[in-house]
Amino acid sequence: MKKLVELNDETYAALKRLAVAKNLSPAELIAALVNDGRPPLGGDLLLFYLTSGEFPATADPVDRYLALLAWCATNYATDFADFISHQESGLHYLMFNRDEINEVRARNHARQIDGTQFWAVMTIDDATRRRFVCRLLEFIGCHDETVVHACRALGLGEPGSSGFRLLSA
């Protein structure tokens, strides 16, 4: 027997965006959210942020990119710091003095990620930015669908198939 749930237009639109991002119907999405033992949305809080009213309202692509990084850094602080600390490029900055760091930051048009001590290099091309975002989101445990949705939401296109994927323990 079917039951009806009444939603306002805004809530239904958000539900539909989540469902589309997960390749589910709205009814299947609700079932996935409430059924124990069916975990397709477990650990994928980023999808809720990407489809919320807040993230899509950010029009500027640079601000969206920084917002995504800030969200990851805030909600997965340890994993984010661990991921960043293992980037190859990070090692050579350890030996710089303050003036050298400021010079590199200016040259790369680096912008601080809100609420963190981290800076984002803004002079990288879209393909490099997409690879970075994909690797970061995979590292923090996002599902493939969420990684694809994030890349689309950032205007970075479809993630390429690299032939391997980071797995979390």
Side-chain angles (χ1 to χ4, degrees):
M1 181 155 94
K2 290 186 178 184
K3 301 290 182 193
L4 299 177
V5 176
E6 193 171 316
L7 304 171
N8 65 31
D9 290 340
E10 183 180 311
T11 302
Y12 181 74
L15 178 66
K16 190 160 179 131
R17 284 191 304 268
L18 281 171
V20 166
K22 283 293 192 183
N23 296 319
L24 299 171
S25 72
E28 291 169 329
L29 176 66
I30 291 172
L33 289 169
V34 298
N35 286 342
D36 290 336
R38 189 171 172 207
L41 299 177
D44 234 340
L45 298 174
L46 177 60
L47 186 59
F48 291 102
Y49 174 65
L50 293 172
T51 58
S52 72
E54 180 184 349
F55 185 79
T58 306
D60 182 57
V62 169
D63 290 338
R64 287 183 114 170
Y65 175 64
L66 291 170
L68 176 84
L69 296 179
W71 187 92
C72 292
T74 300
N75 290 280
Y76 294 91
T78 303
D79 288 337
F80 186 85
D82 189 35
F83 179 80
I84 297 300
S85 72
H86 287 91
Q87 298 302 300
E88 289 178 30
S89 61
L91 296 177
H92 68 271
Y93 295 116
L94 293 175
M95 297 173 30
F96 284 2
N97 64 37
R98 184 180 264 320
D99 291 334
E100 291 169 323
I101 289 172
N102 286 332
E103 180 185 324
V104 169
R105 209 169 51 206
R107 184 176 61 245
N108 291 321
H109 302 281
R111 299 224 350 231
Q112 189 162 16
I113 300 170
D114 285 345
T116 75
Q117 74 274 20
F118 300 106
W119 292 74
V121 174
M122 303 311 297
T123 55
I124 59 175
D125 60 81
D126 284 351
T128 304
R129 191 173 291 178
R130 182 178 52 247
R131 277 192 306 277
F132 177 80
V133 167
C134 290
R135 287 179 28 243
L136 170 63
L137 297 182
E138 290 167 357
F139 188 83
I140 66 173
C142 291
H143 292 98
D144 291 340
E145 298 90 357
T146 302
V147 175
V148 169
H149 188 77
C151 287
R152 285 182 190 149
L154 292 173
L156 299 175
E158 296 289 322
S161 149
S162 62
F164 68 91
R165 167 153 173 154
L166 295 175
L167 300 175
S168 59

